[in-house]
Amino acid sequence: MTKKGSEVTIRDVARRAGVSIATVSYVLNESAPISEATRRRVLAAAAELGYRPSALARGLRARESRTLGYSWHQRPPDYWHPILDRFLYSMAETAEAHGYHILTFTHSPHGRPWEAYEDLILTGRVDGFILSETNENDERIRYLLDRGFPFVAFGRANDEWDFPYVDVDGEAGVQTAVEHLLALGHRRIGCIAWPETSLTGRYRYQGYVNALENADIPVDPAWVVRTEHTEAAGRAAMHTLLSLPPERRPTAVVAISDLMAIGAMNALHEAGLTPGEDIAVVGFDDIPTAQYLRPPLTSLRQPIAEVGKRVVEMLLALIRGEELPERRVLLPPRLIVRASSGGPKA
Amino acid sequence: MTKKGSEVTIRDVARRAGVSIATVSYVLNESAPISEATRRRVLAAAAELGYRPSALARGLRARESRTLGYSWHQRPPDYWHPILDRFLYSMAETAEAHGYHILTFTHSPHGRPWEAYEDLILTGRVDGFILSETNENDERIRYLLDRGFPFVAFGRANDEWDFPYVDVDGEAGVQTAVEHLLALGHRRIGCIAWPETSLTGRYRYQGYVNALENADIPVDPAWVVRTEHTEAAGRAAMHTLLSLPPERRPTAVVAISDLMAIGAMNALHEAGLTPGEDIAVVGFDDIPTAQYLRPPLTSLRQPIAEVGKRVVEMLLALIRGEELPERRVLLPPRLIVRASSGGPKA
DNA sequence: CCCGGTAGTTGAATCGTTTCAACAACCGAC
DNA sequence: GTCGGTTGTTGAAACGATTCAACTACCGGG
């Protein structure tokens, strides 16, 4: 019935082993030469008592919390966060393997987003941050750079700032997807993209442009619809594309998010067409339900667990004061081919 | 370029305000009567210096971390966690409003699940836990009960153990859903359920039984298929139901999870039937894509943000040593009616 | 035989708070 | 004028670890 944590302190271990508390500390941290006999006695005493050093006391003295902060936005109902589960799990797993933990906190995307970060720094609760859903000129990044506080981002910001990040290579991903459509024989390929203001959207769109350029196919401006990240917008975009005259109308469409791809497929159904047979559709994200849609959606799967692992490992190296061998890491997504992408009229 | 947290300590504030550190502490915590003049001087000094008390030092002395631990399982790819995002956000938000934070960690569902919990207790990193995805005779609950450490669960365990929890009332939810189907004129209603070993599954199934009993409709055993929580299993279950002779075949089916409901709808498509027209389908969870399926899926939405809020508030009261007015809270899910549930032949 | 260096160990200072015990100053009551 | 009680303030002792400086023993080299 010990309400509060262990009553066993380093002093108890020292007493039992018949040594000073300094010796116990040295043994446990292997931070000084200790004779084999003493070492064994200390370890035995610690084990028998079930001793675990207090994280608070250690942190106070050593000026570290062995904790990493992570914050994410709350999204409106259908802008859900399909990957938080795996991302967070992967980060927690990696951190724990190195004796660290993850503290999750909230921040307001508008207003002063860095305030929550500042608070955690000043109270000494965290040794570093993981950022995600970064945007161009992200104020949190500017703040952390100014302060010189360790952090690693999942996502890029702009070309001027020099900071460590890991990102999924949306450009390469979409390029792969479009090349897949080209290989199936498609020549008129549409793109449902985000507004130009979205950095991630620009990278993904660039992949579309690259693939068509490599294939010597000029991009018909009518093939590109820029709209917001909702199912309704994706649906409307597809209706716009369908309204093109038959000889200009795309036979395949790549949507830069699954949510918009779902909208596109629903628009096809409304028009009495079958995705994957009449018009091919490809998405991006590979959300869990993608495989159960009718037809199952071809999509790009982000290596999200890998991102979580890399991001934490980089941050830990940074905290240890090491130079990072790679400060900017791009990981390719994997194209998962399903029935929504078929040949031009197959 | 302060790498580590604030260099400003309580001593700096005391010096600037011309008082002792004890006085500063009393002012900031309002834990002793202090004259208005001194109070003002201290607050001014603290504000000018941007002072924030060290969480580590405070925690060490006060024997508390103001941190709550939360752990969840990693699931296989299509057993995803549709609600982690909102649940965690809601918990973090509520905790922060009371000066607490959430520490996320991993534990192995098999082996010794309590080990990760024990470690956090012994190192004094957390003041209490939130548990989710509890199962019958959950070993973590048994461990925490034995130890007398504060925790609140999202989910129930068994009737013998007395511990505080919040849960979604699956029984009432499914009952509402079936009553909705009855009101539409359905009389032969099937149920795709989980194995009897699942506690949550038993509650949801009971709601189905209740509704039919209240309507004086005897349950035909052939209407009930118990199977696992996958799309493939849901699909197979629906094919089984469809193979019944027309006069016994259900005109509506309630699946106790959306994933199985998706499988059921896909089975209907495979059989050339239209969900919501030929056979009504209802799910449970209201996953984000439910609204975009064809047809959109009627489902039960869990008040997940409310659960997160309640769970944290209860835990904080427990940590303060208060008696809980309600130790067992059941929140009803809300039926979201969409096109997948139509009249018998409408 | 003396000296320098290393291995092994320890006492004590320190990290930045909270909080106890002590005390001064003042007030009103008798 | 003395006494008891409150109000306001402070010095110092914790909390439980890390780590510096100091010390002892011992060994080998000159």
Side-chain angles (χ1 to χ4, degrees), chain B residues 249-267:
Chain B
R249 182 190 301 165
T251 61
V253 170
V254 51
I256 68 169
S257 81
D258 280 355
L259 191 52
M260 297 192 303
I262 290 175
M265 293 218 294
N266 286 341

Side-chain angles (χ1 to χ4, degrees), chain A residues 2-3 52 55-56 59 72 75 78 85-86 96 102 104-106 119 123 147 266 269 289 292 294, chain B residues 2 52 55-56 59 72 75 77-78 85-86 96 102 104-106 119 123 147 149 266 269 289 292 294:
Chain A
T2 36
K3 272 263 169 196
R52 305 275 1 243
L56 266 43
W72 76 103
R75 310 245 201 126
D78 50 341
D85 178 11
R86 280 162 199 286
E96 286 165 21
I102 302 283
T104 52
F105 63 103
T106 67
D119 191 72
T123 56
R147 206 170 217 298
N266 286 341
H269 286 124
T289 31
Y292 304 126
R294 295 188 56 81
Chain B
T2 36
R52 306 276 0 241
L56 266 42
W72 76 103
R75 310 249 199 123
D78 50 340
D85 177 11
R86 280 161 199 287
E96 286 165 20
I102 303 283
T104 52
F105 64 102
T106 67
D119 190 72
T123 56
R147 207 173 216 296
F149 199 80
N266 286 341
H269 286 123
T289 32
Y292 305 126
R294 294 188 56 79

Side-chain angles (χ1 to χ4, degrees), chain A residues 235-248:
Chain A
R235 184 192 307 231
M238 181 56 102
H239 279 303
T240 305
L241 292 175
L242 290 177
S243 68
L244 288 173
E247 69 281 3
R248 282 182 76 187

Side-chain angles (χ1 to χ4, degrees), chain A residues 181-210:
Chain A
L181 294 170
L182 288 167
L184 289 170
H186 293 282
R187 285 297 169 268
R188 297 195 305 278
I189 300 175
C191 183
I192 303 180
W194 290 333
E196 294 234 32
T197 50
S198 160
L199 183 65
T200 305
R202 290 210 299 278
Y203 286 123
R204 295 187 185 178
Y205 173 71
Q206 189 57 43
Y208 165 77
V209 172
N210 292 353

Side-chain angles (χ1 to χ4, degrees), chain A:
Chain A
M1 271 302 179
T2 36
K3 272 263 169 196
K4 283 296 167 184
S6 159
E7 308 294 293
V8 182
T9 75
I10 196 172
R11 229 165 285 277
D12 300 316
V13 178
R15 197 173 310 126
R16 178 157 191 134
V19 298
S20 73
I21 61 166
T23 302
V24 175
S25 173
Y26 289 138
V27 168
L28 263 34
N29 297 311
E30 303 184 8
S31 47
I34 298 288
S35 75
E36 185 56 25
T38 320
R39 209 181 79 84
R40 257 202 267 278
R41 251 184 313 135
V42 168
L43 290 179
E48 285 162 26
L49 295 173
Y51 169 71
R52 305 275 1 243
S54 151
L56 266 43
R58 159 182 298 191
L60 174 60
R61 173 64 225 231
R63 309 180 134 338
E64 62 174 21
S65 61
R66 306 224 179 166
T67 302
L68 312 178
Y70 173 68
S71 172
W72 76 103
H73 302 321
Q74 176 69 302
R75 310 245 201 126
D78 50 341
Y79 282 57
W80 72 99
H81 205 137
I83 46 103
L84 180 77
D85 178 11
R86 280 162 199 286
F87 184 52
L88 197 48
Y89 197 90
S90 162
M91 289 198 296
E93 213 168 24
T94 312
E96 286 165 21
H98 294 87
Y100 279 71
H101 288 274
I102 302 283
L103 186 93
T104 52
F105 63 103
T106 67
H107 74 271
S108 65
H110 312 296
R112 288 178 239 293
W114 69 84
E115 275 186 348
Y117 291 80
E118 181 164 59
D119 191 72
L120 291 174
I121 295 174
L122 292 183
T123 56
R125 267 181 197 278
V126 303
D127 297 340
F129 289 106
I130 303 291
L131 270 59
S132 71
E133 312 198 66
T134 55
N135 49 48
E136 230 169 337
N137 307 323
D138 195 303
E139 297 196 62
R140 302 171 298 163
I141 296 183
R142 190 209 308 272
Y143 171 79
L144 293 172
L145 280 175
D146 284 353
R147 206 170 217 298
F149 199 81
F151 75 98
V152 176
F154 171 14
R156 289 165 271 184
N158 64 41
D159 295 333
E160 290 144 46
W161 294 346
D162 174 36
F163 63 91
Y165 66 76
V166 177
D167 203 0
V168 172
D169 193 343
E171 181 173 347
V174 172
Q175 185 168 339
T176 307
V178 174
E179 283 163 356
H180 157 70
L181 294 170
L182 288 167
L184 289 170
H186 293 282
R187 285 297 169 268
R188 297 195 305 278
I189 300 175
C191 183
I192 303 180
W194 290 333
E196 294 234 32
T197 50
S198 160
L199 183 65
T200 305
R202 290 210 299 278
Y203 286 123
R204 295 187 185 178
Y205 173 71
Q206 189 57 43
Y208 165 77
V209 172
N210 292 353
L212 290 189
E213 267 182 10
N214 289 350
D216 283 325
I217 300 177
V219 176
D220 184 336
W223 292 346
V224 178
V225 183
R226 295 185 175 279
T227 188
E228 53 172 351
H229 178 63
T230 65
E231 188 263 358
R235 184 192 307 231
M238 181 56 102
H239 279 303
T240 305
L241 292 175
L242 290 177
S243 68
L244 288 173
E247 69 281 3
R248 282 182 76 187
R249 182 190 302 165
T251 62
V253 170
V254 52
I256 69 169
S257 80
D258 279 355
L259 191 51
M260 298 192 303
I262 289 174
M265 294 218 293
N266 286 341
L268 291 177
H269 286 124
E270 284 167 3
L273 298 171
T274 305
E277 287 182 21
D278 300 311
I279 291 192
V281 177
V282 178
F284 198 120
D285 283 340
D286 192 36
I287 60 171
T289 31
Q291 59 186 309
Y292 304 126
L293 296 170
R294 295 188 56 81
L297 177 64
T298 295
S299 189
L300 289 153
R301 177 180 301 170
Q302 311 201 33
I304 210 65
E306 174 72 11
V307 173
K309 183 162 177 276
R310 294 288 288 266
V311 144
V312 168
E313 283 172 350
M314 285 166 70
L315 180 55
L316 292 178
L318 225 52
I319 289 172
R320 284 192 299 264
E322 298 171 11
E323 271 309 307
L324 293 182
E326 288 183 285
R327 278 173 73 81
R328 298 150 177 243
V329 176
L330 276 187
L331 300 175
R334 191 153 68 91
L335 184 70
I336 309 292
V337 178
R338 301 200 182 91
S340 75
S341 61
K345 287 267 146 67

